[in-house]
Amino acid sequence: GGIEMALVIEDGTIVAGANSFVTRAEVIAYAALRGVTIPDADASDVYAIRAMDYLWSLPCLKGELVDPAQTTPYPRKGLIEGDTVEDYEYTIPVGVKNAQLQLALDSFNGIDLTPSANPEANIKSEKVGPIATEFFDPMASSLTLDGSAPLTVATRWLAPFVCDTGGFSLITVRG
């Protein structure tokens, strides 16, 4: 037997060792609704974890962790939505769950969600001699692959939760 892998679901109560907001069944169902079959249920856990790695990698999320010991970026307290404070202290926002599901699907579709694991992927030009190495913006490179923007759907789900500064260019329009 190999290493037993399992998703441990964070439900807002600071579950010890939590590593996902969504279950294996939810990942498979989300993909199926979009015409994608994830054939290996065990492998679907990997895509859920890669999606969580991406969520942890975001440079700035609104609010703050409820407990410094928690192993997932939510729940959070002090989240401001528009002009009202919504306390997500004991819940995981549905938009964040949907983002994880979409990111898991993106990962299954072959998108490297955290290209920083391979720094060479971010190098734009290199000159030997008087050394000149130019880097892509790491956020930009994580959001684009071959000039496309594969994380568009997940980015939209995450928009209310990501700080207005940083690598995301989010525009908030107040009516």
Side-chain angles (χ1 to χ4, degrees), residues 113-139:
L113 299 177
T114 50
S116 60
N118 173 15
E120 289 178 16
N122 289 343
I123 295 176
K124 189 161 57 172
S125 66
E126 216 168 350
K127 189 173 88 176
V128 182
I131 295 166
T133 307
E134 219 181 318
F135 289 90
F136 284 122
D137 169 19
M139 280 307 294

Side-chain angles (χ1 to χ4, degrees), residues 70-85:
Q70 71 193 73
T71 52
T72 59
Y74 288 85
R76 296 179 88 76
K77 56 189 176 184
L79 284 184
I80 296 172
E81 191 57 55
D83 292 321
T84 61
V85 173

Side-chain angles (χ1 to χ4, degrees), residues 85-147:
V85 173
E86 283 207 42
D87 202 352
Y88 285 110
E89 189 160 346
Y90 301 105
T91 61
I92 309 303
V94 67
V96 171
K97 289 184 182 181
N98 285 334
Q100 189 188 357
L101 289 166
Q102 180 62 44
L103 289 161
L105 181 57
D106 291 340
S107 178
F108 173 76
N109 285 332
I111 295 167
D112 180 1
L113 299 177
T114 50
S116 60
N118 173 15
E120 289 178 16
N122 289 343
I123 295 176
K124 189 161 57 172
S125 66
E126 216 168 350
K127 189 173 88 176
V128 182
I131 295 166
T133 307
E134 219 181 318
F135 289 90
F136 284 122
D137 169 19
M139 280 307 294
S141 64
S142 70
L143 291 174
T144 59
L145 189 75
D146 303 326

Side-chain angles (χ1 to χ4, degrees), residues 13-96:
T13 61
I14 321 293
V15 175
N19 58 14
S20 183
F21 301 128
V22 296
T23 65
R24 176 186 289 188
E26 287 172 316
V27 171
I28 292 169
Y30 183 92
L33 280 170
R34 285 151 185 83
V36 177
T37 301
I38 297 180
D40 182 346
D42 286 331
S44 74
D45 293 356
V46 172
Y47 306 119
I49 296 295
R50 287 179 182 167
M52 185 61 81
D53 288 345
Y54 178 83
L55 293 175
W56 264 127
S57 78
L58 294 172
C60 183
L61 293 171
K62 293 177 182 175
E64 57 189 60
L65 296 179
V66 173
D67 181 337
Q70 71 193 73
T71 52
T72 59
Y74 288 85
R76 296 179 88 76
K77 56 189 176 184
L79 284 184
I80 296 172
E81 191 57 55
D83 292 321
T84 61
V85 173
E86 283 207 42
D87 202 352
Y88 285 110
E89 189 160 346
Y90 301 105
T91 61
I92 309 303
V94 67
V96 171

